Amino acid sequence: MGKHLSWTALGGLITSGLVADPLPAAPPAPLPAEQLDWRPWGEDRPSGALCRGRYRAPDYRLPLPDEGEVSSESDSAAYGVEGETILGGEVVLRRADTQLEAPRVRVPADRETAYAEGPLALRDGNLLVRGEAAAFSLQSDAASIESAHYVAHEQRVRGDAVRLERLADGRYRLTEASFTTCDPGSDLWRLVGNDIVLDRERGFGTATHARLEVGKVPVFYWPWLRFPLDERRQTGFLWPVLGISGDSLDYAQPFYWNIAPNQDATLTPRWISDRGLLLGGEYRYLFPSDAGQVEGAYLADDDGDPDDEPDYQGEDRWYLDYRHAGRFDARTRYRLRYGAASDGSYFDDFGRDFGESETDFMARLALLDHRGEVWRLQAKAQGFQKLDDPLLERDKPFYRLPSLTANARWVQDSGFYQEWDSNVTYFWRDINEAALPNNERFDRESAIGTRLHLSPALGWRLGERWGFLEPRLEWLATAYALDYGNRDLDRDERLSRSVPVSSLDGGLVFERELDLGGADYRQTLEPRLHYAYVPARDQSEFPDFDTNELAFSWRRLWSPYRFTGADRVGDLNRLSYGVTTRFLEDASGRERLSLGVGQATYFDDRTIGMDGDPDDLPAERVGQGLGKRYLATRDRSPVVTRADWRVSDQWRTRWEWLYDDHLERTEQTSLDVQYRADAGHVLNLGYRWQLEGFDPSQEGEDVRTYDREEYDLSFAWKASRHLDLIGRVLYDHTNDRALEQLAGVQWNDCCYGLQLVWREWIDDEDTANTIDDDTTDRGFFLRFVFKGLGGVGREADSYFEEAIPGYRSTAFDRP
């Protein structure tokens, strides 16, 4: 659960120009690179290396002495009148892993301390310190070096100090010193402090009266600073996050608490000038078989604008999100989740991550899952808080309190198999019955209750290289015990339904060898037939707890199910037919091209829709779109054509086209072209067209009243090992507008990283069928990382990877 963070001041940030007392630190000028064990890369430079070279310590000049002993080597030795020893010439002393090299060393008679004159070099493991004069203990690890210049090879840390002391406990104290991870000769940034302590054993450093210089220009000042020396997590302040929008100032100052190796917390006071003080936090924990986190925020007495809709002025605003997952054994796992927000507009007003990505609901879940060799058992309680404001009664989600599932599968060597799927769920939601209108649809929506669903299946599968055959019979049995509350309805509260689902699926595989462009291929020709029969059953009295009608696709050709969930079973009498051809490379077995075309013929109308009435087909739809009556009565499906072509190791294209050969029109088409280079370049070109009304699951404000046509262009170009250029444009051609625009530059160097991104996007305000109420949001996002010290700004890497498929974000980690 590593979380490499940056730490900032205890007292906040002010400009260094405001500091007059104490006097600012003035460390000595740095040494040339060759005196710091620095070796520039030659032909052995690793691929993707960001730094111009690496630190390499030479071997010890003396062998390891016995424990507690000091070995020495020098050109000359003399003894003083008081018993002191004076070594001259090329002097080398070694005690354990500490080695001193100097032109002259004086050791008093008590043999407790050695005094060296410079220029000298002190080595301690992977640490090098050079200086003008030094005193170091021969009995402990204590040492003091004047005009010091130090390098920690593994951490790539270097700096300069008026005085460097190695304390008896192994820590290093630096007076008027600097600290940086930049290559020797680079002054891009450095931390300068009056008193710096480096604790390599514990992995952190502290500095007093510290300033951050960028190009020798002071940009930040801290009275006290704590920073990491390696990847270990450390308690301290993180870099602040600053945002400006209109007349509002948004400042957040996170504090990271490393509670234990398996626990940490982040506390974030956030001041929003036009709203007040928002207190946020996150706590994480990790145990051998369990892990979780809880996060949230609270704002007392919102100072928001009373003219805003909805108005929350004077109200408390908050959110809470708890997640936990664990296991009892290798087969039994559990999950817990609870999320809640004070209102449906909380995340619209305060955001949650980069670009204010939408949070549509807060999940709530308690899940226990056991996966045995035959049986899978699951028990869960689940619900959601839908974040709409206002939230209509009919849009409130159902809770499952609880849902119990028991599934099993048995397979015989003869090819026969049996399946048992079963579920019982109690559906509940808190609605105001008086707010529901009196009509057929809302009568059904007022129901809560228990649903028992059983779906045993029997099948047989013959699978050979030349083809397959699979007959299958499934029995869907569903029963309800419903409660309509106080509504006076003439409806049965006990309902049941039994529907057989039978299908026959079969296909052949023909192969031939093929020579294309001098390469050996194997081409297949795979015709396929699928017949499905599902009789109609009256379901007009049945509730709709978790069901949606599915849009047509290539996958739907080979499936007998027209709905998700168990509340509707769609009638079907259909024969699907199609053929696929594939081109496989003999050498690698890789599929280079797959091309398929298919269609279905319906022998009966589909009388079951979301209303569940087998005697009432949907009404005719006026307009140019795809009406539900036409979907229910058409004699054949659209022709589905799809292709997946790996043009080369870098280029790939996918295409799907649904064409109505009766009305001679396209219902849906999509084309995606992707380029991915080994160097990390990514280019995505996408096109989407969808006929109005194509998706039957959309209802009310979600139904688009126009044909949807969109273009999507995104790219990430690694111009060099340091520079990434990223961008995206999602364009709504139907309404002549850009739905999203994104442009950014990322620079990743040896000791720093820079991420600068501009984004503009359209929020449809949850009404997809109109653009009149859409709003445009935009933002400029800056992130600057000082490697080894931390960074300023919000991370957006996960968003970039989602917006630009195939892109892997720049790792702004330690060099």
Side-chain angles (χ1 to χ4, degrees):
M1 55 183 292
K3 189 172 184 179
H4 185 53
L5 301 167
S6 55
W7 331 125
T8 62
L10 286 176
L13 301 178
I14 60 176
T15 62
S16 60
L18 298 178
V19 181
D21 185 29
L23 293 175
L31 291 177
E34 58 270 16
Q35 295 188 40
L36 299 175
D37 291 345
W38 177 256
R39 301 293 182 269
W41 293 116
E43 295 181 356
D44 59 342
R45 179 173 190 152
S47 174
L50 298 173
C51 301
R52 301 192 309 271
R54 75 286 196 197
Y55 295 102
R56 176 177 292 176
D59 295 334
Y60 282 96
R61 295 178 58 178
L62 296 179
L64 181 68
D66 295 335
E67 185 175 355
E69 298 294 325
V70 177
S71 59
S72 65
E73 180 182 277
S74 63
D75 291 340
S76 64
Y79 297 94
V81 294
E82 297 182 0
E84 66 178 2
T85 302
I86 300 174
L87 304 177
E90 203 170 328
V91 181
V92 181
L93 299 180
R94 182 175 181 184
R95 177 182 178 273
D97 288 333
T98 301
Q99 177 178 280
L100 173 68
E101 304 172 26
R104 187 173 187 272
V105 175
R106 181 172 58 88
V107 183
D110 57 15
R111 300 296 189 265
E112 293 183 356
T113 305
Y115 299 91
E117 299 176 5
L120 59 87
L122 177 68
R123 298 187 180 277
D124 181 6
N126 69 337
L127 179 73
L128 164 67
V129 182
R130 294 191 182 274
E132 293 300 322
F136 70 98
S137 172
L138 299 178
Q139 307 297 323
S140 69
D141 291 330
S144 175
I145 301 176
E146 304 296 324
S147 297
H149 311 272
Y150 67 93
V151 175
H153 300 79
E154 292 181 0
Q155 291 81 17
R156 300 188 63 90
V157 169
R158 67 177 178 87
D160 313 284
V162 171
R163 180 183 297 107
L164 182 148
E165 298 174 80
R166 189 176 65 179
L167 307 179
D169 58 8
R171 294 181 300 155
Y172 290 84
R173 165 162 282 163
L174 293 80
T175 303
E176 294 197 53
S178 65
F179 169 96
T180 186
T181 58
C182 294
D183 290 344
S186 171
D187 294 322
L188 190 127
W189 75 265
R190 67 174 185 169
L191 179 72
V192 180
N194 279 4
D195 184 53
I196 297 178
V197 177
L198 305 180
D199 191 338
R200 299 168 66 206
E201 183 69 24
R202 299 169 64 185
F204 69 89
T206 61
T208 60
H209 297 293
R211 67 181 185 269
L212 175 66
E213 295 181 356
V214 177
K216 296 186 178 180
V217 177
V219 294
F220 286 128
Y221 166 77
W222 297 272
W224 184 87
L225 171 70
R226 179 169 174 157
F227 54 93
L229 295 177
D230 52 33
E231 298 300 322
R232 283 175 287 180
R233 300 172 291 120
Q234 304 291 343
T235 296
F237 281 85
L238 281 64
W239 289 85
V241 178
L242 180 67
I244 300 175
S245 177
D247 297 329
S248 175
L249 175 67
D250 188 342
Y251 178 87
Q253 178 58 76
F255 176 82
Y256 179 75
W257 182 17
N258 183 29
I259 303 171
N262 64 335
Q263 299 179 63
D264 62 12
T266 304
L267 308 176
T268 309
R270 177 181 173 190
W271 172 257
I272 308 173
S273 61
D274 59 351
R275 292 191 177 273
L277 179 62
L278 180 77
L279 299 176
E282 177 192 61
Y283 167 68
R284 307 187 306 168
Y285 54 90
L286 175 65
F287 300 111
S289 61
D290 307 81
Q293 70 178 59
V294 56
E295 65 177 72
Y298 179 80
L299 171 66
D301 192 11
D302 189 357
D303 295 335
D305 189 342
D307 295 331
D308 290 345
E309 289 292 340
D311 176 22
Y312 294 103
Q313 189 178 39
E315 296 187 15
D316 296 343
R317 312 286 299 279
W318 55 269
Y319 90 95
L320 176 70
D321 194 1
Y322 171 67
R323 311 178 192 193
H324 180 91
R327 65 179 186 273
F328 294 113
D329 54 48
R331 294 185 178 273
T332 308
R333 300 176 180 269
Y334 70 95
R335 289 172 53 201
L336 301 173
R337 178 81 182 270
Y338 181 81
S342 58
D343 53 80
S345 298
Y346 177 88
F347 294 105
D348 293 335
D349 292 341
F350 302 106
R352 191 168 189 171
D353 53 18
F354 171 83
E356 311 304 326
S357 298
E358 292 185 359
T359 301
D360 296 325
F361 59 85
M362 301 296 289
R364 296 159 186 183
L365 174 69
L367 171 70
L368 179 63
D369 187 89
H370 175 78
R371 300 191 181 194
E373 295 183 359
V374 174
W375 286 92
R376 177 176 179 180
L377 308 176
Q378 186 183 93
K380 69 179 178 181
Q382 185 178 32
F384 305 90
Q385 179 189 2
K386 192 172 182 179
L387 298 180
D388 282 350
D389 203 340
L391 178 60
L392 302 178
E393 297 296 317
R394 65 174 181 264
D395 293 333
K396 289 183 177 180
F398 282 98
Y399 282 71
R400 295 168 171 85
L401 301 174
S403 178
L404 306 177
T405 300
N407 299 334
R409 179 179 172 88
W410 300 267
V411 180
Q412 289 78 50
D413 294 339
S414 61
F416 281 97
Y417 64 86
Q418 302 81 38
E419 295 177 355
W420 172 266
D421 291 350
S422 59
N423 174 267
V424 58
T425 300
Y426 178 73
F427 292 93
W428 174 88
R429 64 176 172 173
D430 182 20
I431 61 173
N432 181 3
E433 299 171 7
L436 292 174
N438 290 315
N439 62 45
E440 185 74 15
R441 174 186 173 188
F442 295 110
D443 285 350
R444 273 205 307 263
E445 290 193 354
S446 67
I448 61 174
T450 301
R451 183 187 69 196
L452 173 65
H453 183 70
L454 307 177
S455 53
L458 172 66
W460 176 75
R461 182 175 178 87
L462 170 67
E464 301 290 345
R465 287 192 58 185
W466 49 263
F468 72 96
L469 180 66
E470 182 177 4
R472 176 184 171 92
L473 177 63
E474 185 174 12
W475 192 268
L476 305 181
T478 312
Y480 294 86
L482 302 177
D483 182 359
Y484 289 95
N486 297 323
R487 292 171 70 87
D488 186 13
L489 303 174
D490 185 18
R491 283 181 168 273
D492 290 337
E493 295 184 346
R494 299 281 180 172
L495 301 170
S496 63
R497 175 199 63 203
S498 295
V499 187
V501 177
S502 55
S503 63
L504 178 63
D505 193 9
L508 298 174
V509 179
F510 301 96
E511 293 184 357
R512 67 166 180 167
E513 295 180 352
L514 195 64
D515 186 304
L516 293 176
D520 294 329
Y521 285 84
R522 185 174 302 274
Q523 182 189 7
T524 69
L525 185 67
E526 304 170 34
R528 182 178 181 181
L529 290 174
H530 182 276
Y531 176 75
Y533 178 74
V534 184
R537 295 289 188 269
D538 187 356
Q539 299 161 63
S540 57
E541 297 284 321
F542 285 29
D544 173 15
F545 291 137
D546 61 358
T547 293
N548 278 309
E549 191 170 357
L550 293 166
F552 198 76
S553 65
W554 175 267
R555 182 175 297 182
R556 299 274 76 75
L557 276 173
W558 320 111
S559 171
Y561 308 109
R562 294 175 41 225
F563 297 90
T564 63
D567 296 315
R568 297 291 181 273
V569 178
D571 56 320
L572 193 64
N573 188 5
R574 184 201 67 194
L575 177 65
S576 300
Y577 36 88
V579 62
T580 298
T581 183
R582 296 185 296 149
F583 290 82
L584 309 172
E585 286 181 338
D586 273 357
S588 64
R590 179 181 300 174
E591 180 181 285
R592 281 294 184 185
L593 174 65
S594 175
L595 178 65
V597 60
Q599 193 178 27
T601 295
Y602 298 103
F603 303 110
D604 294 313
D605 293 341
R606 278 70 62 210
T607 60
I608 300 298
M610 285 302 298
D611 60 3
D613 190 347
D615 301 321
D616 188 12
L617 288 170
E620 282 288 358
R621 179 191 174 103
V622 178
Q624 300 299 317
L626 194 59
K628 289 193 174 183
R629 186 178 183 87
Y630 180 70
L631 289 172
T633 59
R634 66 196 305 175
D635 294 332
R636 55 186 182 270
S637 76
V639 179
V640 186
T641 305
R642 68 181 185 95
D644 190 338
W645 183 18
R646 290 185 175 270
V647 184
S648 66
D649 292 342
Q650 292 77 36
W651 286 94
R652 179 174 184 175
T653 179
R654 292 177 177 173
W655 173 60
E656 186 173 78
W657 181 34
L658 275 68
Y659 179 74
D660 186 339
D661 61 341
H662 175 65
L663 296 180
E664 298 182 349
R665 66 181 180 183
T666 296
E667 294 186 3
Q668 177 178 268
T669 188
S670 64
L671 174 65
D672 293 289
V673 179
Q674 185 181 75
Y675 170 77
R676 294 183 64 178
D678 294 339
H681 313 310
V682 177
L683 174 65
N684 297 290
L685 302 172
Y687 174 76
R688 305 280 185 278
W689 194 94
Q690 191 177 90
L691 186 66
E692 174 190 347
F694 176 81
D695 188 351
S697 66
Q698 296 176 341
E699 295 184 3
E701 294 183 338
D702 293 331
V703 177
R704 288 188 176 88
T705 55
Y706 51 85
D707 299 336
R708 176 186 179 187
E709 187 175 22
E710 294 178 356
Y711 299 90
D712 194 350
L713 165 66
S714 64
F715 71 91
W717 186 260
K718 290 190 175 294
S720 69
R721 64 171 58 91
H722 300 286
L723 179 64
D724 288 6
L725 303 176
I726 62 174
R728 185 192 187 195
V729 176
L730 177 60
Y731 184 73
D732 177 4
H733 185 262
T734 305
N735 299 298
D736 191 22
R737 59 179 183 166
L739 297 177
E740 178 171 14
Q741 300 175 81
L742 175 73
V745 58
Q746 299 183 125
W747 180 267
N748 192 23
D749 209 336
C750 179
C751 63
Y752 77 100
L754 173 67
Q755 189 176 73
L756 182 63
V757 182
W758 170 79
R759 181 180 179 229
E760 180 177 285
W761 68 101
I762 287 179
D763 187 346
D764 68 7
E765 302 296 339
D766 298 320
T767 52
N769 60 359
T770 179
I771 66 172
D772 295 337
D773 63 346
D774 291 354
T775 58
T776 299
D777 294 320
R778 60 182 57 88
F780 223 158
F781 305 92
L782 173 66
R783 183 181 175 215
F784 204 107
V785 176
F786 305 98
K787 298 185 178 182
L789 188 62
V792 180
R794 298 163 65 184
E795 294 186 10
D797 297 349
S798 61
Y799 180 82
F800 294 152
E801 293 182 3
E802 179 181 345
I804 308 172
Y807 173 60
R808 293 296 174 263
S809 294
T810 298
F812 289 140
D813 52 8
R814 300 180 64 87

